[in-house]
Amino acid sequence: MVREAKFRAVLLGTGSISKTHAGAMCESGMFNLTACWNRTAGRGRDFAGFHGIGFYPDWEEMLAVEKPDLVVNALSPDRHLLGMKAAAESGAHLLVEKPMSTSVDDCRKLIAWAREGGVTLTVSESAAFNACNLTYLRHRADFGPVYHALEINYRQYFTSNNHAWKTDPHQGFGGMLLNVGVHRIAKLRLLAGAEEISVSATSGHNSVIAGVEGHGNIFIRYANGVSATLMMCGYHNCGNAPLVLPHTVNANGYVLINNPLCLVNSGGASKSIPPDPRYSGNDYLNLYRALGNALMNKQPSPYGGEKGMRDVAVIMAALKSGVEKREVEIQEILKEEANVLLSFGKSI
């Protein structure tokens, strides 16, 4: 399957994030992007022309002609199933943008298709490939056991140039909570070092755009006894940089997870830790390096479908907790097959 140490890849969708995928593939030196498909032919042709690749108005024809080793679905979350079953059946590995989907049931379908096709399924969860987060893991022993984690993530989600689906109650579903919060969930799990057990949360709508959630406060319990709080607001600091304050409290001090990391011990002394050079480059470059190495060495996905599904389930649990005013166990969501988020989007 490898040609000149590269895997042939194609893209479903040519939106803004696809530019990031294309650049990271090229820079990784492990993937050769050969073609793309987009629902809007004009935009797809423009993307193909800029990147020097082929454009197909029919994705099925693209898969049949290009015979890719990797199919990347960079469409909106409600369309992450498009083309994936056919791709897996053809023997192509699968990569879907995050969030993995808008229902646990659809996540399960992706996992099943990959398993039945004997291919690798990866979710492009950038938090798992962020240099600061990975540096934290490398130095975890220096920080000591983690007690709790906190992330405050305030940004302007409801911008005029935002994709329409992000504020559509049927496509965007969880709005700020699903489309931004899902990355924070993955990050907090990485920092906590265990899977989530339950969630207690409140959430609410932007007073102007009431279709999807604009803010939330999520308290998470983990299997190892660690707890975490995620505070989010989608209508803050318009036109300026987001307010992001991630940190953990560990046995040996307080750790601000930034560039560089900063460890402050109980006596007030601080120590700076620069990002590990092994993770130089942006999140997507690290993703494609990890995926390329996994495929060449026939290893498991660097961020598989089970993790991607759990990210979605935690956000669903948070939304359900906000509606029902109670603590919700993650297993409760994972047992449900219905698209529970759709009903929340209508009822909150």
Side-chain angles (χ1 to χ4, degrees):
M1 293 179 68
V2 183
R3 294 185 181 179
E4 299 178 355
K6 291 184 179 180
F7 295 94
R8 291 171 56 84
V10 298
L11 267 168
L12 295 170
T14 59
S16 57
I17 197 62
S18 295
K19 299 176 184 176
T20 305
H21 279 283
M25 283 188 214
C26 178
E27 191 174 351
S28 74
M30 306 175 90
F31 293 89
N32 181 23
L33 181 61
T34 66
C36 66
W37 168 88
N38 194 57
R39 287 176 295 155
T40 305
R43 293 179 182 176
R45 289 193 177 93
D46 289 345
F47 183 93
F50 181 83
H51 292 282
I53 60 177
F55 170 76
Y56 289 80
D58 185 318
W59 64 262
E60 291 177 297
E61 180 185 3
M62 178 176 71
L63 296 184
V65 174
E66 295 294 326
K67 295 180 171 48
D69 303 310
L70 175 70
V71 176
V72 179
N73 186 314
L75 298 166
S76 57
D78 61 312
R79 292 184 171 90
H80 282 176
L81 268 60
L82 181 69
M84 295 291 95
K85 187 174 190 292
E89 289 175 345
S90 73
H93 300 287
L94 312 178
L95 191 153
V96 297
E97 256 299 331
K98 72 281 181 191
M100 185 177 173
S101 188
T102 51
S103 77
V104 168
D105 192 40
D106 280 356
C107 291
R108 285 201 180 96
K109 288 178 182 177
L110 285 166
I111 293 169
W113 294 341
R115 182 178 62 249
E116 291 163 5
V119 299
T120 296
L121 168 63
T122 301
V123 181
S124 66
E125 179 42 70
S126 51
F129 303 97
N130 176 271
C132 292
N133 299 346
L134 293 172
T135 300
Y136 178 94
L137 293 186
R138 286 285 179 182
H139 291 269
R140 189 190 291 276
D142 298 335
F143 306 145
V146 59
Y147 297 143
H148 62 259
L150 168 68
E151 175 146 353
I152 299 171
N153 194 289
Y154 289 1
R155 65 177 64 206
Q156 183 52 248
Y157 182 80
F158 301 92
T159 60
S160 59
N161 62 351
N162 214 345
H163 295 293
W165 63 264
K166 289 190 176 181
T167 53
D168 183 290
H170 300 291
Q171 289 184 291
F173 291 99
M176 174 71 175
L177 267 66
L178 179 64
N179 296 305
V180 177
V182 73
H183 318 319
R184 314 279 82 78
I185 295 302
K187 176 179 181 177
L188 288 170
R189 183 189 310 121
L190 178 147
L191 300 176
E195 289 190 334
E196 305 83 359
I197 295 297
S198 64
V199 167
S200 294
T202 58
S203 66
H205 290 126
N206 183 324
S207 60
V208 178
I209 303 176
V212 294
E213 289 66 47
H215 62 267
N217 185 34
I218 305 174
F219 178 79
I220 308 170
R221 299 182 189 276
Y222 295 87
N224 58 357
V226 173
S227 64
T229 302
L230 171 60
M231 300 171 63
M232 304 189 68
C233 177
Y235 34 95
H236 167 82
N237 211 19
C238 184
N240 297 306
L243 172 63
V244 180
L245 296 174
H247 70 258
T248 60
V249 174
N250 300 64
N252 297 336
Y254 161 102
V255 185
L256 178 63
I257 301 152
N258 207 332
N259 184 5
L261 300 183
C262 181
L263 169 66
V264 180
N265 66 28
S266 57
S270 62
K271 174 185 178 182
S272 292
I273 303 171
D276 193 308
R278 282 170 288 195
Y279 311 120
S280 61
N282 65 33
D283 304 349
Y284 280 79
L285 175 56
N286 289 331
L287 160 67
Y288 277 102
R289 284 171 173 165
L291 177 56
N293 285 326
L295 295 181
M296 290 199 333
N297 296 310
K298 302 187 183 306
Q299 295 175 340
S301 167
Y303 202 88
E306 295 290 342
K307 287 184 179 179
M309 179 171 67
R310 196 169 191 90
D311 295 338
V312 173
V314 174
I315 292 297
M316 288 182 171
L319 292 171
K320 188 168 188 175
S321 174
V323 170
E324 300 183 359
K325 308 293 189 269
R326 66 179 179 88
E327 188 169 2
V328 175
E329 293 188 0
I330 307 306
Q331 195 58 35
E332 182 180 331
I333 300 295
L334 291 173
K335 287 180 179 178
E336 296 182 7
E337 294 184 1
N339 193 338
V340 294
L341 211 52
L342 177 59
S343 63
F344 294 162
K346 289 181 177 178
S347 64
I348 291 180

